[in-house]
Amino acid sequence: MNHMRENELIQWGTQVGTEIRPPVFIFLKGPLGSGKSVLARSIALGMGVEGAVASPTFNLLLTYPSPRGFQFVHLDLYRLNGPEDLWELGWEELGDRDQVVIVEWPERAGVFLPDDRWEIELDFVEEDESVRTILVEKYGDPATIPDLPNELNL
Ligand SMILES: Nc1ncnc2c1ncn2[C@@H]1O[C@H](COP(=O)(O)OP(=O)(O)OP(=O)(O)O)[C@@H](O)[C@H]1O
Ligand SMILES: [Mg+2]
């Protein structure tokens, strides 16, 4: 567990995007407004994805090519109605060799989770609305990502 301000989160996310090698799944957890999309966008930035990454809220899944020949695949499952929607999205085909798959609200996918993945959980702190806690958990054997920066002196 670590604490981050937005600029540090963006800096670390950009570094993740720069160093990440697909295929990899990164799941972003945490309540509404906790910073999942901020982190997703900074990973895209680090991958060199052009332009603003839209919120996939109404599309559930958006794919962007990176100049290195990777795909940035961004899902937001908040509005997923059930497992049927997952199949419609092509969930079981995700994780191709060239894909960096970033999933907000992965809890909505229920039991259909890949074995190898990072789960990153963001949350608010009571004392300061510009700070988030961040917890990085590794499941199975996903591609490496850079370590979190040193803890903030709050
Ligand atoms: N330390 C911080 N880290 C990340 N975001 C922060 C931080 N402090 C303030 N913010 C603000 O919090 C908001 C986070 O919004 P964001 O859309 O990333 O949330 P989200 O987790 O994706 O929410 P949703 O579940 O609705 O998709 C932004 O407006 C951002 O500017
Ligand atoms: Mg979001």
Side-chain angles (χ1 to χ4, degrees):
M1 179 87 82
N2 211 323
H3 293 81
M4 283 199 183
R5 294 192 191 280
E6 189 165 357
N7 65 319
E8 280 122 6
L9 185 66
I10 291 171
Q11 215 172 53
W12 180 68
T14 306
Q15 199 190 344
V16 171
T18 308
E19 296 180 20
I20 199 77
R21 292 295 170 269
V24 67
F25 282 90
I26 301 177
F27 287 2
L28 303 182
K29 299 162 75 173
L32 290 167
S34 56
K36 301 179 295 296
S37 293
V38 167
L39 181 54
R41 274 195 296 273
S42 56
I43 293 172
L45 182 71
M47 288 175 63
V49 170
E50 294 283 327
V53 173
S55 166
T57 300
F58 296 101
N59 297 4
L60 297 178
L61 183 154
L62 292 170
T63 299
Y64 305 83
S66 93
R68 269 177 258 147
F70 304 156
Q71 304 292 324
F72 175 81
V73 183
H74 188 190
L75 293 92
D76 186 334
L77 301 183
Y78 187 70
R79 287 186 169 72
L80 194 79
N81 291 314
E84 323 82 61
D85 284 14
L86 275 182
W87 312 135
E88 225 167 275
L89 281 173
W91 178 258
E92 70 273 51
E93 283 117 54
L94 289 173
D96 278 358
R97 290 168 44 173
D98 62 342
Q99 288 183 342
V100 174
V101 183
I102 309 287
V103 187
E104 298 186 43
W105 294 100
E107 300 91 335
R108 299 284 201 272
V111 296
F112 305 105
L113 303 181
D115 294 337
D116 301 323
R117 63 186 191 269
W118 293 98
E119 291 199 5
I120 301 177
E121 186 157 5
L122 294 161
D123 208 347
F124 300 94
V125 300
E126 259 178 39
E127 313 79 50
D128 189 336
E129 62 184 29
S130 68
V131 172
R132 301 288 186 270
T133 56
I134 182 166
L135 182 66
V136 179
E137 291 176 302
K138 183 180 180 172
Y139 289 85
D141 187 26
T144 53
I145 60 173
D147 291 334
L148 287 173
N150 290 332
E151 175 64 328
L152 285 180
N153 291 314
L154 293 174

